[in-house]
Amino acid sequence: YNRGLDIIEKAGCFGGHKINGDEDQRKTGPDLRRIASKVTADWAYRWIEDPRAYRATTWMPKFFNQTNTSSAEDLERSKVEIAALVSYLFRKSEAFTPTVEKVPAGDVARGKQVVAQTGCLGCHRVGEQAAVRGTFGRDFGPALDRVGDKLAPGWLYDWVRDPKRYFPETNMPDLRLTDQEAADVVAYLMTLKSGPPEPAPAVNTALLDQVTEEYLRVKLTNQQAK
């Protein structure tokens, strides 16, 4: 029973369903309103395309390129729709001014030690096991493997020093790190990578027009949609 409640919370089921007792739960996913300061558009495209290709243990569902949408036509349509989502998120992204223009130089070895000793590994994994998704009180935060492929160093530096400055509702605590400790942590975490994401494919503008018109027809006349 308790494991079931834990899964419901981690999977964010209450985001799409009404569940008694969960009416006031914060959304499971992170705040997207300042996404452009955190990741690149190429990373966002590849994440939406296939979340588990980046993080095997994520609770983020895969919406595109499923077995029932894997024809050549469907794959091309998915590219357009994913690109449209990324375009929307980045154009709507609010400005987030980093507290420093350049992250201070940090020491990788000291950063690894700070991560181990400050309690980061109580909520995060380093050394992801694809078959083990944290449930029943384990893995409050995402796995940190490949985080260096994802995050902008300036954003990460601000995040580990004061998480609530970026996302007031976050469960991530203020670890009261010194500026140098934060720089060391960033230096270490940015080494956790396997390679940048492949660039997003070029957008088929003719197909984009066609797909957009289909969506508009749901609420407009054909002429208005055109």
Side-chain angles (χ1 to χ4, degrees):
Y1 176 84
N2 286 324
R3 186 169 184 269
L5 291 177
D6 192 59
I7 292 172
I8 285 172
E9 181 177 346
K10 283 186 167 62
C13 303
F14 46 80
H17 303 274
K18 291 184 178 180
I19 303 176
N20 291 337
D22 286 331
E23 293 85 354
D24 297 324
Q25 287 268 36
R26 53 149 280 198
K27 293 182 181 293
T28 300
D31 194 330
L32 299 178
R33 289 174 294 183
R34 296 170 174 176
I35 190 69
S37 65
K38 181 178 181 181
V39 303
T40 66
D42 286 335
W43 186 91
Y45 181 97
R46 296 303 177 187
W47 171 256
I48 295 172
E49 180 184 45
D50 187 1
R52 290 194 188 177
Y54 170 80
R55 182 180 297 137
T57 56
T58 184
W59 289 91
M60 167 85 171
K62 180 178 178 180
F63 294 100
F64 296 94
N65 303 339
Q66 301 285 9
T67 55
N68 62 335
T69 55
S70 58
S71 68
E73 180 181 356
D74 286 331
L75 294 176
E76 286 303 307
R77 183 186 177 100
S78 291
K79 291 178 184 178
V80 163
E81 293 187 327
I82 295 170
L85 286 170
V86 173
S87 176
Y88 169 77
L89 290 173
F90 276 69
R91 289 193 184 197
K92 295 290 288 184
S93 183
E94 299 172 4
F96 180 73
T97 306
T99 55
V100 295
E101 292 185 8
K102 185 178 181 181
V103 178
D107 181 272
V108 173
R110 283 202 308 264
K112 185 176 182 179
Q113 186 176 27
V114 171
V115 167
Q117 294 180 348
T118 311
C120 303
L121 302 182
C123 292
H124 300 275
R125 289 179 188 265
V126 178
E128 187 178 32
Q129 302 175 49
V132 182
R133 284 206 298 189
T135 56
F136 203 33
R138 300 184 64 193
D139 292 352
F140 290 101
L144 298 177
D145 302 76
R146 300 188 63 186
V147 74
D149 294 332
K150 173 184 178 181
L151 300 176
W155 182 92
L156 181 57
Y157 179 71
D158 277 351
W159 175 256
V160 298
R161 287 195 303 162
D162 185 5
K164 285 183 167 53
R165 178 174 180 260
Y166 177 85
F167 183 19
E169 296 179 74
T170 183
N171 292 323
M172 170 86 171
D174 181 350
L175 299 173
R176 300 191 292 272
L177 301 177
T178 66
D179 289 352
Q180 186 57 56
E181 287 173 331
D184 293 340
V185 168
V186 171
Y188 166 61
L189 293 180
M190 293 305 296
T191 67
L192 303 180
K193 58 178 65 178
S194 63
E198 292 184 18
V203 176
N204 181 333
T205 54
L207 182 56
L208 175 60
D209 286 345
Q210 176 186 325
V211 171
T212 303
E213 187 176 329
E214 287 180 22
Y215 277 103
L216 291 175
R217 280 180 185 160
V218 175
K219 294 186 176 181
L220 303 175
T221 67
N222 286 351
Q223 187 59 40
Q224 289 173 325
K226 287 181 183 296

